[in-house]
């Protein structure tokens, strides 16, 4: 009588201890998550503190301009907007070529806040959208990792993602770009997919499709999702993990997801016609075949099943071959086999450099170097392999997904440095799993060593039952206290019978635990070392956020012996354009500055960062590489009034137009064969000093950059190229200098109007049609058509 | 023994065993199967009617030899979103009905603690979202 009573009393106290521990754990996780969100938000605020609340870089300015338009004119105008202030004279259909997710999100937040009478400006909302969504992304990582491995791993992964430098680089306050919301959408879609896979309810499948729709709205990288999930389904089928939950997770997603993707105007019918989506359809067919086979196997006897198989194989094989032949013929008939240029350059990294120089010239499309891995994911690079191993013990559907995700994202991050961003969540998830497993082992060993020394069997039994209870309550740590109170009677009875049943096996379990436990000293030291590793990670992340990734690149600073210099030349130039030119004047510059010019200077540009029209960019590139007269002709035919060049030679700013000149030559030469790259090279190098080629010294870019440069220091020493320039004293014949900023970083020139009278000899035109007229009007001579 | 009997007898035996096994399924599952069959049939009719409508009506033009034009003529680019939404709505309801069948089937041990009312409610919700999207996409 005494033994059961003491055991029930022990179970009772054990149970209340466990509920208390559960409740405490739940509250603790909630506060930890809140703090993680706050940390994710605040670590991205360095640029606002160091500079000001300003939009960074180039692409965010376009998004900002679109958001301004949306806020001012409403969603119907935005959906049908045709922008005529860019890509003059072609214009751009904004409604059909932009991914609307980011702008709609920020517009909704602005509208919501304004309707609550919190008058934040559109710029403030745009600047702070990215940090807010990074907090959401870390919570989504917690949810995803909790589905894979449990709460501890979830919290670790969330903390790691909140700080990982590669994600900070694209989501700092002011970096108002697609990735700011797209990474959150990516992780959230993956979380809902795993949740559907684990629970098998259609409710989560619906939510999964809606989250996928949000991802398609936000970023072109949605093709990663629609190819990774079919790959995972195929992996599950091949490794024999097919279950009906897999069918429920995948099949509705394909149908609903394709429909929702086709709703977004940018994607449209590409959702069913391009090769990027064919993998999903193929696996859709495969999963139906497999499900049907399993169903037939379930209702037939084994002998009949064999008969069915032979029958189907003989008949179906012929039909299958015919269908596959037709499909292959259809796909092979297009020159790129149905893939777009960007996707092809992902699969074959050398494709872009051979065929599409525009894609090859974007700096964020280059492959990353080895140090950038340590810069961007730091300590996680060591923890990822440990996490992959931890995913295999035990292997479940969710952990096989994580392994596949990290493998593919490592490959793609090696192709393009911009995709390091997709690697960051995968690395955080696997490292979180590894770290939390390590912590589990060490703390378990410490606890075992400290308390397992007693030899009393009752204490042993209580220990093992509490440990088994612990391992079971581990998985339900975040359950609400009310639910545990409801299940109390059933739990109690379960515990009792388990205790009685397990008494014979406790001895074996205790033995096993003793063998698995590590010595006390090594566990303590390893714990300390792990904490130190985490500390190094945190220090590096904060440094990276503060020093490396917070530059708004529209304002530059430099420290010198007499204090801090601020270079605000870009905004100076755009403000000058805004206030000193007509509203309808066209400005020509290299495509890098297009978005900023339309957003800040509010003038029409010829080409901008969207780079959708290679020939138009090649025209501008040809103009920049031609001598003055030819360049004037080209610009005049485009109705250009002002030309803008960026020049860093006076202050040592390395990303100026002379350094980008090789791309102008290459892209221009790709379309207009009279621009030949060897004409500009001396010994295979672009030079601007006295050894430069005459073509180089006469081209428009050289002249516009170095006009009157010799007046600054008398020698014309270019601080970026570290030489004196070749041609120092020259005059411009077809352009006149309109404005040069304080540090000579932006130089604006005006096209001289055509002469009304030609004095002296009539100029012979170069066109084929002979103009015999000697009329004084210059328009008598035919303008050379640059497209012929 | 399997070798001595002809393949025709094999096919007949297979057919019989399939029929007898299928007759044992409960009635509500058979209703769902009927619905799935109807949806797939409708989808097939749409696809076939679109592929086979043209050769009867078009006179012979030389540009028809161009494979691009042939593809476009057979699939039809202008009402493409209607065609796509029609086919995908049928396929979608078929898939969702199959999911419902999986969840409601009492032999499925994975779903024994999922009440069939909840499964049906999820099915209705998913169908609502699907048809909302279809109506938006029909144009």
């Amino acid at each position: 009588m005494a033994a059961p009573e003491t055991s029930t009393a022990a179970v009772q106290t054990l149970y209340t201890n466990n509920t208390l521990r559960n409740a405490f754990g739940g509250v603790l996780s909630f506060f930890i998550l809140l703090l993680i969100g706050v940390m994710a938000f605040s670590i991205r605020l360095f640029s606002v503190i160091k500079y000001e609340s300003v939009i960074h870089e180039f692409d965010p300015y376009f998004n900002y301009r679109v958001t301004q338009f949306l806020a001012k004119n409403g969603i119907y105008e935005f959906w049908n907007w045709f922008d005529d202030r860019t890509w003059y004279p072609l214009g751009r259909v904004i409604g059909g070529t932009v991914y609307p997710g980011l702008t709609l999100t920020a517009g909704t937040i602005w509208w919501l806040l304004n309707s609550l009478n919190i008058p934040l400006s559109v710029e403030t909302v745009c600047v702070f959208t990215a940090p807010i969504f990074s907090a959401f992304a870390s919570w989504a990582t917690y949810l995803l990792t909790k589905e894979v491995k449990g709460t501890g791993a979830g919290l670790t992964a969330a903390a790691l993602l909140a700080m990982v430098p590669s994600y900070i680089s694209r989501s700092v306050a002011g970096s108002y770009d697609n990735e700011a919301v797209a990474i959150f959408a990516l992780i959230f879609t993956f979380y809902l997919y795993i949740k559907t896979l684990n629970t098998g309810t259609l409710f989560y499948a619906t939510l999964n499709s809606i989250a996928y729709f949000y991802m398609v709205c936000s970023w072109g990288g949605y093709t990663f999702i629609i190819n990774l999930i079919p790959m995972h389904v195929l992996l599950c089928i091949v490794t024999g993990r097919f279950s009906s939950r897999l069918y429920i997770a995948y099949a509705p997603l394909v149908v609903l997801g394709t429909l929702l993707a086709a709703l977004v105007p940018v994607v449209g019918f590409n959702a069913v016609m391009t090769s990027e989506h064919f993998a999903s359809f193929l696996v859709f067919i495969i999963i139906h075949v497999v499900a049907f086979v399993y169903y037939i196997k379930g209702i037939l006897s084994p002998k009949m099943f064999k008969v069915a198989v032979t029958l189907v194989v003989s008949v179906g094989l012929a039909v299958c071959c015919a269908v596959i032949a037709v499909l292959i013929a259809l796909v092979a008939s297009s020159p790129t086999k149905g893939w777009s240029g960007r996707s092809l350059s992902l699969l074959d990294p050398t494709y872009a450099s051979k065929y599409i120089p525009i894609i090859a010239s974007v700096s964020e499309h280059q492959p990353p170097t080895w140090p950038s891995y340590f810069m961007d994911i730091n300590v996680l690079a060591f923890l990822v392999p440990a996490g992959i191993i931890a995913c295999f013990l035990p292997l479940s559907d969710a952990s096989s997904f994580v392994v596949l995700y990290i493998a593919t994202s490592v490959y793609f991050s090696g192709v393009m440095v911009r995709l390091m961003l997709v690697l960051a969540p995968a690395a955080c998830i696997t490292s979180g799993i590894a770290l939390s497993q390590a912590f589990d082992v060490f703390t378990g060993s410490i606890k075992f060593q400290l308390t397992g020394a007693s030899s009393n069997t009752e204490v042993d039994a209580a220990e093992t039952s509490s440990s088994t209870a612990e391992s079971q309550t581990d998985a339900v740590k975040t359950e609400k206290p009310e639910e545990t109170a409801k299940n109390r009677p059933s739990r109690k009875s379960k515990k009792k019978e388990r205790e009685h049943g397990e008494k014979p096996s406790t001895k074996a379990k205790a033995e096993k635990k003793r063998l698995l436990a590590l010595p006390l000293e090594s566990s303590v030291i390893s714990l300390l070392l792990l904490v130190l590793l985490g500390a190094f990670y945190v220090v590096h992340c904060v440094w990276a956020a503060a020093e490396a990734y917070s530059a708004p690149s529209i304002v530059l600073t430099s420290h010198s012996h007499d204090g801090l210099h601020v270079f605000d030349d870009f905004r100076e130039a755009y403000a000058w354009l805004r206030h000193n030119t007509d509203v309808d004047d066209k400005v020509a510059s290299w495509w890098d500055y297009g978005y900023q010019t339309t957003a800040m200077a509010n003038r029409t540009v010829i080409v901008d960062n969207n780079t959708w029209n290679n020939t138009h960019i090649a025209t501008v590139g040809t103009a920049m590489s031609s001598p003055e007269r030819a360049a004037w002709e080209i610009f005049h035919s485009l109705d250009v009034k002002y030309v803008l060049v960026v020049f860093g030679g006076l202050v040592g700013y390395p990303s100026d137009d002379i350094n980008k000149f090789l791309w102008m030559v290459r892209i221009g030469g790709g379309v207009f064969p009279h621009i030949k790259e060897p004409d500009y090279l001396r010994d295979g190098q672009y030079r601007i000093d006295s050894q430069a080629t005459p073509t180089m010294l006469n081209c428009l870019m050289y002249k516009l950059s170095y006009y009157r440069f010799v007046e600054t220091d008398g020698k014309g020493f270019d601080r970026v190229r570290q030489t004196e320039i070749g041609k120092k004293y020259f005059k411009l014949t077809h352009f006149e200098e309109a404005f040069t900023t304080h540090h000579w970083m932006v130089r604006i020139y005006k096209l001289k109007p055509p002469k009304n009278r030609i004095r002296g000899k009539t100029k012979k035109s170069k066109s084929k049609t002979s103009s015999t007229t000697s009329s004084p009007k210059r328009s008598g001579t035919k303008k050379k058509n640059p497209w012929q | 023994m399997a070798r001595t009997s002809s393949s025709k007898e094999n096919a007949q035996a297979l057919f019989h065993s399939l029929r007898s096994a299928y007759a044992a399924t409960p009635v509500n599952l058979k209703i769902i199967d009927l619905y799935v069959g109807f949806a797939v049939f409708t989808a097939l009719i749409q696809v076939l009617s679109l592929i086979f409508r043209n050769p009867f009506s078009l006179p012979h033009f030389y540009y028809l030899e161009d494979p691009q034009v042939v593809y476009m003529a057979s699939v039809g680019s202008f009402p493409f979103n209607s065609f796509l939404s029609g086919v995908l709505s049928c396929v979608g309801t078929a898939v969702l009905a199959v999911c419902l069948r999986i969840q409601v089937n009492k032999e499925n041990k994975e779903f024994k603690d999922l009440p069939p009312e909840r499964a049906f409610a999820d099915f209705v919700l998913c169908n609502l979202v699907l048809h909302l999207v279809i109506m938006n996409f029909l144009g």
Side-chain angles (χ1 to χ4, degrees):
Chain A
M1 265 311 140
E5 266 183 26
T6 49
S7 59
T8 46
V11 166
Q12 181 97 11
T13 49
L14 214 60
Y15 191 68
T16 40
N17 277 346
N18 273 337
T19 353
L20 262 181
R21 199 181 290 151
N22 280 350
F24 185 60
V27 173
L28 199 63
S29 331
F30 176 72
F31 275 112
I32 291 177
L33 272 180
L34 204 64
L35 283 177
I36 288 177
V38 169
M39 174 177 73
F41 183 81
S42 26
I43 203 176
R44 287 161 168 82
L45 295 183
F46 275 105
S47 66
V48 174
I49 297 172
K50 285 169 71 169
Y51 300 89
E52 58 183 293
S53 164
V54 72
I55 309 249
H56 296 190
E57 299 259 322
F58 302 110
D59 279 359
Y61 272 99
F62 171 68
N63 295 325
Y64 171 54
R65 182 166 162 252
V66 174
T67 317
Q68 271 182 317
F69 186 87
L70 173 69
K72 191 157 73 159
N73 301 12
I75 187 163
Y76 286 108
E77 291 292 321
F78 162 73
W79 215 246
N80 297 321
W81 186 20
F82 177 81
D83 187 22
D84 55 352
R85 296 189 66 84
T86 177
W87 293 93
Y88 185 84
L90 305 165
R92 178 183 172 184
V93 181
I94 299 278
T97 56
V98 81
Y99 281 100
L102 175 71
T103 47
L104 285 177
T105 309
T108 313
I109 295 177
W110 175 84
W111 175 82
L112 203 69
L113 287 176
N114 267 2
S115 61
L116 289 175
N117 282 330
I118 306 175
L120 287 181
S121 72
V122 177
E123 182 174 15
T124 315
V125 172
C126 291
V127 163
F128 288 103
T129 299
I132 293 177
F133 273 83
S134 65
F136 293 162
S138 50
W139 294 338
T141 313
Y142 161 73
L143 290 171
L144 173 57
T145 321
K146 188 170 83 128
E147 284 297 314
V148 178
K149 269 294 177 180
T151 327
L155 288 173
T156 324
L160 290 176
L161 184 83
M163 289 194 290
V164 66
S166 117
Y167 185 32
I168 290 183
S169 70
R170 303 291 301 198
S171 69
V172 81
S175 175
Y176 181 56
D177 208 354
N178 286 339
E179 288 91 352
V181 296
I183 296 295
F184 161 66
L186 180 88
I187 305 177
F188 198 56
T189 310
F190 284 153
Y191 157 64
L192 285 172
Y193 172 66
I194 297 290
K195 185 89 181 173
T196 321
L197 201 56
N198 281 345
T199 58
T201 54
L202 267 183
F203 174 64
Y204 282 110
T206 319
L207 286 183
N208 189 17
S209 312
I210 296 178
Y212 173 67
F213 174 54
Y214 185 53
M215 178 71 192
V216 174
C217 282
S218 310
W219 198 30
Y222 74 91
T223 50
F224 182 64
I225 297 188
I226 203 63
N227 283 308
L228 184 66
I229 292 187
M231 238 196 284
H232 176 243
V233 169
L234 209 55
L235 182 75
C236 283
I237 292 177
V238 162
T239 54
R241 305 187 75 99
F242 175 80
S243 63
S244 39
R245 286 172 293 120
L246 189 72
Y247 180 84
I248 295 179
Y250 182 65
L253 172 69
V254 169
V255 178
L256 259 182
T258 311
L259 267 175
L260 286 167
L263 269 185
V264 181
V266 181
V267 178
F269 297 144
N270 284 345
V272 289
M273 300 230 267
T274 53
S275 298
E276 282 126 1
H277 293 86
F278 279 171
S280 57
F281 300 139
L282 191 69
V283 177
F284 185 66
I285 296 176
I286 291 179
I287 201 177
H288 275 95
V289 168
V290 169
F292 193 59
V293 164
Y294 270 87
Y295 171 67
I296 296 287
K297 197 184 218 177
I299 62 175
L300 283 183
S301 63
K303 187 176 74 126
M304 281 290 111
F305 182 63
K306 268 202 214 118
V307 168
V309 164
T310 47
L311 202 68
V312 164
V313 162
S314 53
V315 168
L317 206 62
V319 175
C320 253
C321 287
V323 168
I324 290 180
V326 166
L327 261 177
I328 290 183
L330 258 179
V331 167
S333 60
S334 74
T336 57
K337 316 265 182 299
W339 293 89
S340 75
R342 286 197 186 198
S343 312
L344 261 180
S345 67
L346 275 182
L347 293 176
D348 170 21
T350 57
Y351 180 79
S353 54
K354 280 187 279 188
Y355 299 107
I356 317 177
I358 263 264
I359 294 182
S361 75
V362 181
S363 69
E364 51 192 19
H365 288 182
Q366 310 298 328
T369 53
W370 276 113
S372 64
Y373 276 94
F374 296 122
M375 170 71 172
D376 275 349
I377 54 174
N378 208 33
V379 156
L380 307 185
F382 309 128
L383 290 174
V384 160
I388 297 180
I389 295 179
C391 281
F392 278 99
L393 333 150
L395 187 70
S396 67
D397 291 340
S399 53
S400 68
F401 178 77
V402 169
V403 172
L404 194 64
Y405 179 23
I406 185 98
T408 46
S409 55
V410 164
Y411 170 70
F412 284 125
S413 72
V415 172
M416 212 188 253
V417 77
R418 186 178 182 181
L419 295 180
M420 289 281 297
L421 185 60
V422 175
L423 173 66
C428 291
I429 294 171
T430 37
S431 320
I433 293 175
L435 263 182
S436 99
Q437 292 282 76
F439 265 92
D440 274 347
V441 168
F442 293 139
T443 48
S445 323
I446 292 179
K447 199 187 293 190
F448 181 77
Q449 299 287 2
L450 286 180
T451 61
S454 57
S455 55
N456 197 348
T457 47
E458 201 164 64
V459 181
D460 247 12
E463 262 300 306
T464 46
S465 67
S466 76
S467 62
T468 49
E470 228 177 59
S471 57
Q472 290 207 339
T473 54
D474 249 350
V476 297
K477 222 182 249 183
T478 53
E479 257 190 70
K480 293 196 186 70
E482 308 98 68
E483 274 185 307
T484 52
K486 241 194 289 178
N487 295 334
R488 187 180 289 220
S490 59
R491 275 273 191 86
K492 233 203 266 193
S493 57
K494 263 198 265 177
K495 271 212 196 342
K496 251 201 233 177
E497 62 175 75
R498 210 186 305 122
E499 215 191 84
H500 288 304
E502 278 191 354
K503 271 227 164 69
S505 62
T506 48
K507 268 273 161 69
K509 265 205 158 122
E511 195 63 42
K512 195 173 172 201
K513 269 194 94 75
R514 202 187 338 263
L515 286 175
L516 281 180
L518 297 171
L520 183 65
E521 301 82 13
S522 58
S523 312
V524 171
I525 293 182
S526 317
L527 262 185
L528 283 176
L529 284 179
L530 273 186
V531 172
L532 207 61
L533 195 72
F536 280 137
Y537 176 69
V538 171
V539 165
H540 171 84
C541 291
V542 174
W543 170 84
E547 297 298 324
Y549 289 134
S550 287
S553 75
I554 190 151
V555 178
L556 306 162
T557 57
S558 81
H559 295 270
S560 66
H561 57 92
D562 45 329
L564 183 75
H565 280 282
V566 176
F567 300 93
D568 208 1
D569 287 42
F570 287 104
R571 292 196 289 181
E572 189 186 341
Y574 297 131
W576 184 91
L577 269 179
R578 195 187 188 107
H579 291 121
N580 292 300
T581 60
D582 286 334
V583 177
D584 283 330
D585 282 343
K586 293 22 169 199
V587 179
S589 66
W590 192 232
W591 57 262
D592 279 5
Y593 316 108
Y595 281 157
Q596 284 182 343
T597 314
T598 38
M600 282 197 272
N602 198 23
R603 294 289 173 265
T604 312
V605 290
I606 306 294
V607 287
D608 68 13
N609 309 54
N610 192 29
T611 68
W612 65 272
N613 191 334
N614 195 32
T615 313
H616 220 50
I617 297 181
T619 312
V620 174
T622 310
M624 294 295 193
S625 330
S626 313
E628 253 191 276
R629 165 97 185 260
W632 186 95
E633 302 273 357
I634 296 178
F635 281 141
H636 192 66
S637 74
L638 285 172
D639 290 345
V640 171
K641 196 84 171 297
Y642 292 92
V643 178
L644 187 151
V645 294
V646 170
F647 171 63
L650 183 66
V651 292
Y653 174 61
S655 317
D656 64 351
D657 281 355
I658 293 279
N659 274 354
K660 294 179 191 167
F661 185 61
L662 71 101
W663 292 111
M664 301 186 197
V665 171
R666 279 187 199 165
I667 296 175
V671 180
F672 299 99
H674 66 268
I675 304 284
K676 297 190 245 320
E677 199 176 347
D679 285 346
Y680 299 84
L681 299 173
R682 171 83 67 192
D683 306 324
Q685 277 193 350
Y686 284 90
R687 302 179 71 142
I688 44 94
D689 51 8
S690 49
Q691 295 294 315
T693 58
T695 333
M696 182 76 197
L697 291 176
N698 277 325
C699 76
L700 187 73
M701 180 51 66
Y702 179 91
K703 286 200 170 165
L704 293 188
S705 295
Y706 294 114
Y707 178 61
R708 291 193 311 114
F709 183 51
V710 70
E711 293 171 19
T712 55
D713 60 350
K715 287 194 299 268
F717 184 74
D718 184 343
R719 291 225 174 101
V720 180
R721 267 63 59 175
Q722 299 286 320
T723 59
E724 288 186 10
I725 59 178
K727 192 150 76 162
K728 300 189 188 184
Y729 302 95
F730 57 89
K731 281 200 174 16
L732 292 175
T733 52
H734 290 73
F735 294 85
E736 59 184 1
E737 186 178 1
F739 182 67
T740 299
T741 57
H742 184 222
H743 299 103
W744 287 55
M745 277 173 61
V746 183
R747 311 193 67 183
I748 304 179
Y749 293 85
K750 190 168 172 178
L751 258 71
K752 279 192 185 162
K755 289 202 183 68
N756 277 332
R757 256 182 350 123
I758 301 172
R759 292 163 55 162
K761 289 191 287 195
T762 26
K763 292 213 188 291
K764 279 216 169 60
S765 69
K766 288 198 199 143
S767 67
K768 294 206 173 84
T769 63
S770 59
S771 78
T772 52
T773 172
S774 57
S775 81
K777 281 222 185 97
R778 186 181 171 82
S779 57
T781 63
K782 286 271 188 286
K783 285 195 254 223
K784 187 167 78 173
N785 188 345
W787 285 280
Q788 280 176 358
Chain B
M1 195 175 307
R3 296 235 176 224
T4 54
S5 50
S6 70
S7 59
K8 195 165 182 184
E9 281 182 22
N10 268 346
Q12 274 187 353
L14 174 70
F15 199 59
H16 278 300
S17 65
L18 269 176
R19 264 184 94 175
S20 59
Y22 189 68
T25 56
V27 179
N28 53 352
L29 294 184
K30 277 196 206 153
I31 294 178
I32 298 180
D33 289 341
L34 200 63
Y35 179 66
V36 172
F38 168 66
V40 173
F41 176 65
T42 317
L44 271 177
I45 285 191
Q46 287 189 15
V47 173
L48 290 175
S49 74
L50 205 67
I51 288 185
F52 289 117
R53 67 181 160 86
N54 270 330
F56 306 125
S57 52
L58 278 174
H60 181 76
F61 288 117
Y62 280 103
Y63 66 80
L64 276 184
E65 253 97 76
D66 181 9
Q68 180 86 341
V69 176
V70 168
Y71 177 67
M72 277 301 158
S74 66
V75 178
S77 53
F78 174 60
F80 192 61
N81 54 344
S82 323
F83 163 70
L84 201 64
S85 56
V87 171
L88 280 181
S89 75
C90 294
V91 172
T93 52
V95 162
L96 290 176
V98 171
C99 291
L100 177 67
R101 185 190 198 279
I102 292 174
Q103 288 178 331
V104 162
N105 197 356
K106 290 195 193 45
E107 292 166 23
N108 233 331
K109 279 170 276 323
E110 283 173 359
F111 291 102
K112 68 173 168 4
D113 46 351
L114 183 77
E117 290 82 15
R118 165 79 196 266
F120 187 66
D122 286 343
F123 170 72
V124 167
L125 172 73
C126 215
N127 260 326
L128 262 175
V129 173
L130 176 72
H131 286 97
L132 195 69
V133 176
I134 293 287
M135 283 195 297
N136 200 357
F137 194 54
L138 267 177

